[in-house]
Amino acid sequence: MLDVRQLKYTVSRMAPEEIREAVEELRLEGLVTDGKTPFGRLHFNTCLAEIEALFQRAGYHRQLDVVGYQGQAYALFDPARWEPVQVLRWLKDYVDSREVESA
């Protein structure tokens, strides 16, 4: 398992092209799920500043925030467009719909 310094270093060295789809989604919707990014819970909990810097290098210059739902899904979002509680509700519906689809 990577330690925090290694994890931050890995994110800091990531190519902006690796998150182009996520950048486009943020520009359109102001919200992107963890499934469309190379990041997981550990990244969001320890490397948000590095993730924000990566998004800036990729051309997304707005503020970012992250919300998670019961450790099952995470979303990066633009806090100027979404309230955290809205994103949390959206994530709950997203997780519930995935559970129904897999049942």
Side-chain angles (χ1 to χ4, degrees):
M1 177 158 167
L2 297 174
D3 72 18
V4 171
R5 286 176 288 145
Q6 289 173 314
L7 200 59
K8 288 182 177 192
Y9 179 82
T10 302
V11 172
S12 294
R13 299 290 180 234
M14 194 174 285
E17 292 76 29
E18 294 183 55
I19 59 162
R20 289 282 183 221
E21 181 181 352
V23 168
E24 292 305 315
E25 188 90 9
L26 280 166
R27 286 184 179 141
L28 292 173
E29 302 295 329
L31 175 97
V32 66
T33 60
D34 56 339
K36 293 186 178 179
T37 72
F39 310 116
R41 176 175 47 178
L42 188 58
H43 289 101
F44 293 130
N45 289 336
T46 60
C47 304
L48 188 56
E50 289 78 9
I51 290 170
E52 283 183 307
L54 175 60
F55 273 83
Q56 288 179 356
R57 287 194 312 272
Y60 188 81
H61 299 287
R62 295 177 179 236
Q63 184 180 357
L64 286 174
D65 207 345
V66 65
V67 168
Y69 178 71
Q70 296 182 348
Q72 297 178 38
Y74 290 82
L76 282 169
F77 67 97
D78 178 350
R81 293 174 64 183
W82 291 85
E83 293 292 323
V85 71
Q86 291 174 302
V87 178
L88 187 58
R89 286 182 187 133
W90 187 90
L91 275 176
K92 180 189 179 309
D93 292 343
Y94 175 75
V95 167
D96 291 348
S97 70
R98 285 194 322 195
E99 289 174 356
V100 167
E101 289 174 3
S102 66

